[in-house]
Amino acid sequence: MAGGALTDEGALKRAHLYEHRITSYFIFACIVGSMGGSLFGYDLGVSGGVTSMDDFLKEFFPEIYKRKQMHLNETDYCKYDNQILTLFTSSLYFAGLISTFGASYVTRIYGRRGSILVGSVSFFLGGVINAAAKNILMLIIGRIFLGIGIGFGNQAVPLYLSEMAPAKIRGTVNQLFQLTTCIGILVANLINYKTEQIHPWGWRLSLGLATVPAILMFLGGLVLPETPNSLVEQGKLDKAKAVLVKVRGTKNIDAEFQDLVEASEAARAVKNPFRNLLARRNRPQLVIGAIGLPAFQQLTGMNSILFYAPVMFQSLGFGGSASLISSTITNAALVVAAIMSMYSADKFGRRFLLLEASVEMFCYMVVVGVTLAFKFGEGKELPKSLGVILVVLICLFVLAYGRSWGLMGWLVPSEIFPLETRSAGQSVVVCVKLFFTALIAQCFLVSLCHLKYGIFLLFAGLIFGMGSFVYFLLPETKQVPIEEVYLLWRQHWLWKKYVQDSE
C-alpha cells in the first residue's frame, strides 16, 4: 500500500503488556510541561501586530509609516516591503535555529527539564530588552534572546510530552503543545488589539508581556518531574521506575520499563547521535521526521498568516483596527482547530488528518489566489463583502491546518526517532522548522509585493506536493508505543529496503 502500515500487531515486542491509568500527577506534568508552547505562540501572535502599529512604525520605520498612510484603505501589496522590518521578525528564528544544537546537548545530558529552564530564562531576557528598546539594534538583540528561548523550549517540550504519554493517547497529549501555542497566539492578538489604543507606548507593553509566559514556564520547570526515558538515559534507573509508576498510575510497568532500558542501552552505544542519524537504517526518520514534515509544516503558508495577518489584511485594504480584529478571528479559529485535533489525532490517525487537510488547504489557497487576481488589484479599495469572504476562507484554511499539519508537524517527529537519536533528531526538527520559519518571515512581504496574488497559488502548489509526500512515505503511527515505532519501517513498501539492508 502507498503509505505502509503496521499490518502485524504481533510484531510488537511487549506493547500488549503496557498498562496505564490517567492520574492527577500525569495530568499536572503534561499541562505544566506544555506551557512551553505559549512562548512560541505569543511571539508568533505579537510580532505581526506590533509591526502594523503606527507608534512602532513611527519610532523605528518612519518611511513605512508614511507609505502606509498614503494607501491606508487601498490594496498595496508592497506597503510593508522592507527587509529590516522583516528582519525584526526573522532574527528570532535564525537565533533559535542555531541554539537548538546547544539545546540537544542540554536535553540529552541534563534532561528535558534543563532545556525548559534555560529556554524560559532566555525568553524572559528577550522580552525585557524588547520592551525597553531605543533603537533597531536593541530590538534585534532582544529578538535573539527570544529565539534562543524558543530554540530550547521547542526542542524539549514535544519530547517531554511524547515520552510522558501512554501510546494510546500520545497524540492527544502531544497536542497540548500545539494548543498552548494557539492560545498564546490568540492572547497576543487580543493584547495587540488593546495596546494599539495606548499611545505612544502600547507596543512596548505588547512586547514586554512576553515575560509572563516565560515566568510561568520557568516556575513550571522547577516542579516538573523528569521523563522516565530521560532518567533511564542518565542512568537513574530507580528514580525512572518511580516516576513511571506515578505517571502510569500502576505498579505493573515492568514491560514498558524493560523497553526503556533496552532502548537506553542501544543509545549508549551511539557515540555521535548526529552522525548516527545519517545512517542508512535511520533514513526514514531523517527524511520524514527531521526534514520533510518540519519543512512542509512551514511551507503551508500558515506561518505567513500568523506572522503578518494584521499587516496582510492592511495590505489588502482593511483599516488598522479592522485588520487586528480579522487576525484575531483567524487565530481564534486556530485554537478551535487545536481542541478538535486533541480528539481526532488518536481516533482517525496521523495520515488521514494530513491527507484530508491537504486537499482542503489546497482548495482554499487556490480560491483566495484566484479571487484576489480577478476581483481587485493594486490601488483599489477592497469591497466589504469580498473582505468577509477572504476572512472566512482564511479561517477555514486555519481550521484545516490547525487540526492536521499544525499538530502532526510536532507530533510525528517526536514519536518516530529511536532513543539513541531522539534528542539529536528533535534538534534537527527544530532547526529545520526555524530555518523555514525564518525564511518565510524574511521573504513573505517581499514575495507578496512582487508575486501579489500569486503567493497564494505558490503555497497551493507546495501543499499539493506535501500531501503527495505523506501519501507515499508516511506510515500510520497511531497508538504504536514510542520505543517500537521502528517496527513500522520494516513493513513499509519503500523504507523496508533501507532498514532491512542495514541489519
Side-chain angles (χ1 to χ4, degrees), residues 46-67:
V46 82
S47 55
V50 166
T51 53
S52 71
M53 291 183 185
D54 289 345
D55 291 323
F56 177 82
L57 293 175
K58 280 190 281 188
E59 183 154 352
F60 297 104
F61 302 96
E63 291 184 4
I64 297 178
Y65 173 73
K66 293 177 183 177
R67 191 191 310 163

Side-chain angles (χ1 to χ4, degrees), residues 169-186:
I169 59 170
R170 189 170 60 242
T172 299
V173 172
N174 197 276
Q175 174 60 1
L176 288 171
F177 178 78
Q178 178 70 6
L179 178 61
T180 56
T181 299
C182 297
I183 292 174
I185 294 170
L186 178 60

Side-chain angles (χ1 to χ4, degrees), residues 110 135 153 177 277 294 321 327 429 436 439 465:
Y110 298 102
N135 50 54
F177 178 78
L277 189 59
S321 295
S327 62
V429 169
F436 281 96
L439 187 67

Side-chain angles (χ1 to χ4, degrees), residues 43 47-48 51 84-94 140 143 307-308 437-438 441-442:
D43 183 79
S47 55
T51 53
I84 302 300
L85 178 63
T86 53
L87 183 63
F88 166 74
T89 298
S90 62
S91 58
L92 179 148
Y93 302 102
F94 285 120
I140 301 300
R143 297 289 290 175
F307 291 145
Y308 298 119
T437 303
Q442 192 67 28

Side-chain angles (χ1 to χ4, degrees), residues 112-124:
R112 288 44 168 159
R113 289 176 64 239
S115 282
I116 290 174
L117 291 171
V118 172
S120 61
V121 171
S122 182
F123 200 85
F124 177 86

Side-chain angles (χ1 to χ4, degrees), residues 347-365:
K347 181 175 178 61
F348 299 109
R350 286 59 159 153
R351 270 173 53 83
F352 173 80
L353 292 176
L354 286 170
L355 292 172
E356 185 275 332
S358 294
V359 174
E360 275 194 62
M361 293 161 64
F362 172 82
C363 294
Y364 297 143
M365 278 295 185

Side-chain angles (χ1 to χ4, degrees), residues 292-365:
L293 290 180
F296 289 148
Q297 186 191 44
Q298 312 311 312
L299 294 175
T300 57
M302 183 62 209
N303 274 354
S304 300
I305 294 173
L306 296 181
F307 291 145
Y308 298 119
V311 169
M312 183 177 68
F313 282 124
Q314 284 192 13
S315 294
L316 296 178
F318 289 76
S321 295
S323 68
L324 284 174
I325 293 173
S326 299
S327 62
T328 300
I329 292 172
T330 58
N331 287 305
L334 191 60
V335 173
V336 172
I339 295 172
M340 290 169 60
S341 66
M342 293 184 72
Y343 167 78
S344 59
D346 288 318
K347 181 175 178 61
F348 299 109
R350 286 59 159 153
R351 270 173 53 83
F352 173 80
L353 292 176
L354 286 170
L355 292 172
E356 185 275 332
S358 294
V359 174
E360 275 194 62
M361 293 161 64
F362 172 82
C363 294
Y364 297 143
M365 278 295 185

